[in-house]
Amino acid sequence: MKVLVTGGAGYIGSHTLLQLLREQHEVLVFDNFSNSSPEALRRVKQLANADFEVCEGNIQDAGRLNEAFGHFKPDAVIHFAGLKAVGESAEKPLDYYAQNVSGSIELLQAMQRHDCRRLVFSSSATVYGEAKYLPYDEHHPLQPANPYGRTKYFVEEIIRDWAAAWQDASAVVLRYFNPVGADASGRIGEDPNGIPNNLVPYIAQVAVGRLQHLGVFGADYDTRDGTGERDYIHVEDLARAHLAAIAFSSTSKGCEAINVGTGRSATVIEMVKAFEQASGRAVPYKIEPRRSGDVARSLAAVDKAERLLGWTAKLDVADMCKTTWNWQSANPNGYRQE
């Protein structure tokens, strides 16, 4: 199958790209490298021992999208490209709406122009907002608490309307919980610009000595130890979910939203302890005030993914910490060291 992957050089995109190549799909990566590195793509080529095409461009650029679609003629699209920091989205909401919402509309229009009817969209559990009940299932009310989450919610609704209006269109919206970990090779992993926004890369950078201590935002939540509790999923499991979603889209019509998590949770302090055990390094931390927009607990109901996609998570927190440490210790400065 020919698959166009927007944001394919990013953290989740590069791991999914590797799985696609190992399954012998033809791939074109469309990326502007604003929060990713071409080095990730070079390493994926080495790991997969397979080549693929790359088109540098922004999804807001209709002309560049048209060139990519006209040249490659994809059967399906996996859409990762977008801005993704909760805190930054509150500071720069218009940037987030322009890139995530307007960019996604340009992508859908390009798909229509080139008769590409199959889409897998990278959404987020942030669309649920504060829990009315747990675990979150796909029928939970959608009440995102920050601009980033709202952009994901709006794009989900746009995709739903697009799929309803275009006969034979098929879309799978994957609502990620908390992706962590790295490829077992240690060659590709999460490499955020600046200070990490997500917990595990922050812990890893403290363990490797790039940062002095971890900031723990809030220790008075109603959880086992007072710190935020999340459903973490290994990026390799998440990548497999995208391949399962692409396969599902070949026989389905309309739009399906599906959680991608493990159905198990860990608190911030539990993740710190697990990482210390995996790395053999101390991870000092300081308790800081809660962050606006954070929820106390987040946990996925995962039965729909198993029922529709035939997919379940296989890797656990120990695997997540071990592979993250393999990546970070071998690449203390991320992709910038070579």
Side-chain angles (χ1 to χ4, degrees), residues 11 14-15 18 22 39-40 43-44 46-47 181-191 234-236 319-335 337-338:
Y11 171 45
S14 60
H15 287 79
L18 180 58
R22 285 173 171 165
E39 174 65 16
R43 295 187 185 191
V44 168
Q46 292 176 336
L47 289 169
D183 186 68
S185 67
R187 295 286 291 156
I188 58 172
E190 188 167 8
D191 183 27
H234 198 292
V235 68
E236 184 177 311
D319 298 312
M320 298 171 202
C321 293
K322 178 182 177 182
T323 55
T324 300
W325 181 241
N326 286 347
W327 152 254
Q328 192 71 76
S329 58
N331 304 271
N333 297 309
Y335 293 117
Q337 65 185 24
E338 292 186 5

Side-chain angles (χ1 to χ4, degrees), residues 106-185:
E106 292 292 352
L107 177 66
L108 290 168
Q109 289 178 332
M111 291 178 68
Q112 286 200 177
R113 283 194 297 269
H114 295 275
D115 199 32
C116 180
R117 300 167 184 263
R118 295 165 62 186
L119 173 69
V120 175
F121 174 57
S122 165
S123 191
S124 167
T126 57
V127 298
Y128 292 122
E130 194 69 48
K132 304 297 183 185
Y133 57 84
L134 287 174
Y136 293 109
D137 60 27
E138 290 82 358
H139 298 294
H140 188 283
L142 305 182
Q143 298 176 318
N146 52 68
Y148 164 70
R150 281 188 282 275
T151 66
K152 291 295 189 183
Y153 166 70
F154 292 146
V155 175
E156 283 196 16
E157 293 297 292
I158 290 165
I159 290 171
R160 195 176 306 281
D161 290 338
W162 166 79
W166 192 15
Q167 189 178 12
D168 295 332
S170 176
V172 182
V173 169
L174 296 181
R175 292 175 179 159
Y176 309 166
F177 278 68
N178 293 75
V180 297
D183 186 68
S185 67

Side-chain angles (χ1 to χ4, degrees), residues 200-264:
V200 174
Y202 204 128
I203 290 174
Q205 290 192 16
V206 172
V208 85
R210 280 177 65 179
L211 297 171
Q212 288 189 336
H213 66 271
L214 170 70
V216 176
F217 299 105
D220 57 352
Y221 288 107
D222 183 18
T223 61
R224 290 187 290 272
D225 54 28
T227 63
E229 188 176 334
R230 300 288 182 269
D231 186 331
Y232 295 95
I233 178 168
H234 198 292
V235 68
E236 184 177 311
D237 281 330
L238 183 54
R240 288 193 305 102
H242 288 82
L243 271 71
I246 282 286
F248 173 76
S249 72
S250 67
T251 58
S252 68
K253 299 292 181 284
C255 179
E256 289 283 358
I258 302 174
N259 288 341
V260 187
T262 64
R264 300 179 297 275

Side-chain angles (χ1 to χ4, degrees), residues 84-94 96-97 146-149 151:
K84 61 177 186 176
V86 169
E88 183 184 61
S89 75
E91 297 165 5
K92 302 176 181 179
L94 296 184
Y96 274 68
Y97 287 113
N146 52 68
Y148 164 70
T151 66

Side-chain angles (χ1 to χ4, degrees), residues 3-68:
V3 184
L4 187 148
V5 182
T6 71
Y11 171 45
I12 301 167
S14 60
H15 287 79
T16 303
L17 172 62
L18 180 58
Q19 296 282 349
L20 286 166
L21 295 171
R22 285 173 171 165
E23 294 292 325
Q24 299 184 316
H25 295 287
E26 293 182 61
V27 182
L28 183 146
V29 170
F30 190 94
D31 204 307
N32 66 355
F33 302 108
S34 64
N35 192 32
S36 60
S37 170
E39 174 65 16
L41 298 182
R42 188 183 73 81
R43 295 187 185 191
V44 168
K45 286 184 181 182
Q46 292 176 336
L47 289 169
N49 193 28
D51 207 354
F52 52 89
E53 297 189 55
V54 180
C55 179
E56 186 169 354
N58 191 307
I59 57 171
Q60 295 185 66
D61 185 341
R64 195 68 171 141
L65 280 171
N66 206 46
E67 290 175 19

